[in-house]
Amino acid sequence: NTPCGHFSWKKFARPGITQDELVEMKEAFDLFDVAGCGVVDIREVQTALQGLGIDSNNSTLHSMLSELSAMDGDTGTRGMNFEQFIDVMAARSAERDSKDDIQKVFRLFDEDHKGYLTVANLEKVCKQLSEQY
């Protein structure tokens, strides 16, 4: 295991993931890489994700972990390396960001805060957009 003080986060940089998040992921990953071989069991990854506050029952995440398990079955291994772990986390982060963006746009359209959009809400937005362009 590489202590996080010596962890070269730039090597693993991904869009949408900060340096602090990478260091946190590395710390979680290293907790389960007891042998220091750079690979953790897929089942242990689910536990690590829960430790990071990520719901491993999320359908996208569950699908990705299932795909990795299937790939590991082909090679005879049962593990995930840190790079694969980051890819799973990056996909989850992108999904969360997309949902946040959609909710922001929805709240912008839902001016009367009813929790749903009316034809009047949409007409107003369309009118505003046509006036701006």
Side-chain angles (χ1 to χ4, degrees):
N1 290 354
T2 306
C4 283
H6 298 98
F7 172 59
S8 177
W9 67 271
K10 289 182 182 180
K11 176 181 175 185
F12 299 101
R14 301 281 193 285
I17 299 179
T18 67
Q19 176 183 351
D20 289 341
E21 289 169 330
L22 275 173
V23 169
E24 190 175 301
M25 285 182 222
K26 180 67 171 150
E27 289 171 353
F29 184 87
D30 286 348
L31 285 174
F32 298 101
D33 184 16
V34 179
C37 62
V39 176
V40 295
D41 187 286
I42 297 290
R43 293 170 297 229
E44 299 296 343
V45 170
Q46 290 177 319
T47 305
L49 294 175
Q50 289 170 344
L52 290 169
I54 308 272
D55 179 13
S56 64
N57 291 325
N58 172 283
S59 61
T60 304
L61 198 54
H62 184 70
S63 172
M64 294 170 83
L65 289 171
S66 295
E67 287 176 27
L68 285 168
S69 291
M71 287 188 307
D72 288 343
D74 294 340
T75 63
T77 63
R78 290 286 311 147
M80 173 187 283
N81 66 30
F82 183 58
E83 210 152 345
Q84 291 169 314
F85 182 73
I86 294 171
D87 290 341
V88 169
M89 296 300 294
R92 173 65 182 123
S93 178
E95 179 183 296
R96 182 182 62 238
D97 291 345
S98 294
K99 284 182 181 179
D100 289 345
D101 291 343
I102 291 169
Q103 287 175 342
K104 286 176 189 173
V105 170
F106 181 85
R107 285 192 298 270
L108 207 81
F109 284 23
D110 184 23
E111 289 182 336
D112 44 8
H113 308 289
K114 292 182 179 178
Y116 57 89
L117 300 179
T118 64
V119 173
N121 294 129
L122 296 175
E123 286 174 340
K124 184 175 181 180
V125 170
C126 290
K127 183 178 179 190
Q128 289 172 342
L129 287 174
S130 67
E131 288 174 4
Q132 288 179 0
Y133 300 101

